């Protein structure tokens, strides 16, 4: 017998995802998004997201099974995002996952959402080399991580953002530029028509003290972009949005890839993995490719569909945990909306009274 089919459930933000993975292979997945319901508010509304998860969860799990040509009885383990994320949204996914695991009599694993982004790349490019450098860039997080065995070892943070995440910077500036939500993809599209050298935006923490060499900060850049837009509005001049978007994207891509490549060189690590929603950005991908090639570093970036939130990436972590013989979560496992990334497994319990599956 091979390893079991792992169902992964993701509901930390506005995407409800289910994916099925066995032995590092994606068997099927399905995704629902409440993004359109948030668009008119300019950002995710937690209550709307949570309610949408309630409606989407069962159809999405069914959809993933249909996509894989499997039945519920084929599921051998359930993995679910237990944090970080929106509290109500996480609760819905965890409740659904517990119900399924209990009904099927299979083990349950709590997964750290960001570990899902890291594991995403294994579904396309196979096991991660040990060690590897991971640049994780999402809407809520920006970190440089030294990763050994993702299922077993503690993840070492070489640097994190002091304030805004890269995706948050894109999203907020896009709003000021009058671009639609979500801002990252809109900036990416608009930037194609612009000149990246049109505005000399700052490169935060690239020339700072050595101890900050792997630390990020994007709120200053966000403010600089907002000021630039305001100066046009105040002067009654039309905003050259494409130039602003291109210059902002260039600044973000420059900072991210410069630090990531420096971290690889300093730690003697030969592989850089760029993951998370912002890894979908065309300029981040292109500049990472160029700089890694120049430095003799192997670059791994998941395909676009695996960069953003979905259930397959959570199933990928569950599959690694199962195969590593990790301890399943107790049935009173709870969510941790602000969990720091330490281990891929995330099993906070409510009152410490494990029911034990
Ligand atoms: O990882 P993700 O799907 O969700 C979080 O866990 O945060 O990342 C979402 C973030 C958003 O900020 C979104 O604007 C950004 O990823 N994003 C992009 C692109 N696609 C998504 N940012 C820049 N360029 C893109 N093409
Ligand atoms: Zn995410």
């Amino acid at each position: 017998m091979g390893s079991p089919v792992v169902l992964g459930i993701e509901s930390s933000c506005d995407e409800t995802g289910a994916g099925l993975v066995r032995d590092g292979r994606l068997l099927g997945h399905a995704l629902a998004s409440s993004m359109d319901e948030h668009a008119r508010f300019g950002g995710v509304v937690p209550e709307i997201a949570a309610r949408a998860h309630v409606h989407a969860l069962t159809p999405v799990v069914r959809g993933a099974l249909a996509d894989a040509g499997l039945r519920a009885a084929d599921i051998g383990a359930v993995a679910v995002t237990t944090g970080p994320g929106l509290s109500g949204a996480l609760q819905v996914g965890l409740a659904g996952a517990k119900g399924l695991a209990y009904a099927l009599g299979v083990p349950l694993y709590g997964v750290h959402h960001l570990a899902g982004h890291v594991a995403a790349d294994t579904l396309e490019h196979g096991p991660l080399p040990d060690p590897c450098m991971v640049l994780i860039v999402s809407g809520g997080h920006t970190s440089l991580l030294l990763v050994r065995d993702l299922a077993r070892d503690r993840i070492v943070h070489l640097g994190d953002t002091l304030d805004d995440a890269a995706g948050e910077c894109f999203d907020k500036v896009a709003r000021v530029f009058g671009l639609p939500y979500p801002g990252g993809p809109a900036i990416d599209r608009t930037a194609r028509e612009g000149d990246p050298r049109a505005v000399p935006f700052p490169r935060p923490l690239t020339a700072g003290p050595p101890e900050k060499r792997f630390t990020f900060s994007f709120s200053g850049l966000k403010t600089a972009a907002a000021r630039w837009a305001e100066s046009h509005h105040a002067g009654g001049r039309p905003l050259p949005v494409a130039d602003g978007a291109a210059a902002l994207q260039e600044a973000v891509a420059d900072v991210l890839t410069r630090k990531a490549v420096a971290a690889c060189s300093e730690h003697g690590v030969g592989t850089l993995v760029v993951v998370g929603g912002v890894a979908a950005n065309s300029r981040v991908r292109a500049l990472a490719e160029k700089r890694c090639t120049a430095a003799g570093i192997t670059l791994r970036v998941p395909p676009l569909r695996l960069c953003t939130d979905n259930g397959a990436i959570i199933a990928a972590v569950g599959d690694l945990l199962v195969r590593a013989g990790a301890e399943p979560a107790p049935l009173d496992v709870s969510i941790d909306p602000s969990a720091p990334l330490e281990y891929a497994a995330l099993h906070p319990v409510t009152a410490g009274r494990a029911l034990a599956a």
Side-chain angles (χ1 to χ4, degrees):
M1 282 293 286
S3 51
V5 173
V6 181
L7 167 70
I9 294 178
E10 156 62 32
S11 73
S12 65
C13 192
D14 57 351
E15 325 275 354
T16 318
L20 293 151
V21 170
R22 178 173 51 199
D23 272 330
R25 274 202 328 118
L26 177 59
L27 305 176
H29 69 113
L31 189 68
S33 176
S34 58
M35 195 179 279
D36 294 345
E37 294 174 59
H38 307 288
R40 68 192 173 99
F41 301 104
V44 176
V45 182
E47 289 79 5
I48 294 177
R51 196 180 51 210
H53 289 307
V54 172
H55 292 299
L57 194 60
T58 301
V60 158
V61 171
R62 287 214 180 100
L65 284 167
D67 188 38
L70 294 172
R71 295 169 309 129
D74 297 319
I75 296 169
V78 178
V80 60
T81 306
T82 42
L86 302 170
S87 163
L90 289 166
Q91 297 277 16
V92 176
L94 178 58
K98 280 184 183 180
L100 270 168
Y102 187 70
L104 295 168
V106 301
L108 176 69
Y109 295 84
V111 167
H112 195 289
H113 177 80
L114 296 180
H117 281 298
V118 180
D121 191 61
T122 65
L123 295 175
E124 185 73 14
H125 299 121
L128 294 171
D130 174 3
C132 61
M133 192 65 65
V134 177
L135 170 66
I136 178 149
V137 270
S138 73
H141 296 84
T142 304
S143 300
L144 257 176
L145 309 168
L146 190 56
V147 174
R148 307 210 69 111
D149 183 333
L150 184 62
R152 292 185 175 88
D153 296 328
R154 177 188 272 274
I155 293 160
V156 178
H157 288 243
L158 298 180
D160 299 282
T161 180
L162 298 174
D163 38 59
D164 291 7
E168 193 177 356
C169 175
F170 279 138
D171 293 338
K172 289 178 175 167
V173 173
R175 246 183 116 157
V176 177
F177 284 5
L179 294 170
Y181 167 86
I187 294 265
D188 200 342
R189 278 193 309 274
T190 310
R192 276 183 226 144
E193 316 294 324
D195 175 5
R197 288 164 311 233
V199 198
F201 285 136
R203 306 296 199 253
L205 297 182
T206 46
E211 68 273 15
K212 296 256 169 69
R213 66 199 181 287
F214 302 138
T215 307
F216 299 96
S217 167
F218 290 107
S219 87
L221 179 57
K222 172 189 71 185
T223 307
R227 291 239 169 87
W228 173 80
E230 277 157 21
S231 73
H232 281 77
H233 292 143
R237 289 170 293 144
L239 187 67
V241 177
D243 284 348
L248 175 78
Q249 181 173 271
E250 190 63 27
V252 171
D254 181 17
V255 171
L256 290 176
T257 55
R258 213 192 292 186
K259 288 181 183 253
V261 169
C264 289
S265 302
E266 184 175 317
H267 288 267
V269 173
T271 303
L272 172 66
V273 190
V274 185
V275 298
V278 178
N281 182 267
S282 60
R283 186 57 185 152
V284 170
R285 295 171 88 99
L287 200 53
E289 188 68 60
K290 186 174 158 206
R291 289 182 172 170
C292 281
T293 304
I297 296 163
T298 304
L299 175 68
R300 290 175 50 152
V301 191
L304 292 186
R305 69 194 153 78
L306 290 173
C307 283
T308 43
D309 293 352
N310 64 78
I313 67 176
I314 304 307
V317 178
D319 170 61
L320 291 174
L321 291 172
V322 168
R323 288 192 283 142
E327 194 68 28
L331 267 184
D332 67 344
V333 60
S334 63
I335 59 157
D336 183 351
S338 55
L341 177 57
E342 292 172 335
Y343 288 92
L346 178 64
H347 291 168
V349 286
T350 39
R353 284 198 317 277
L355 296 175

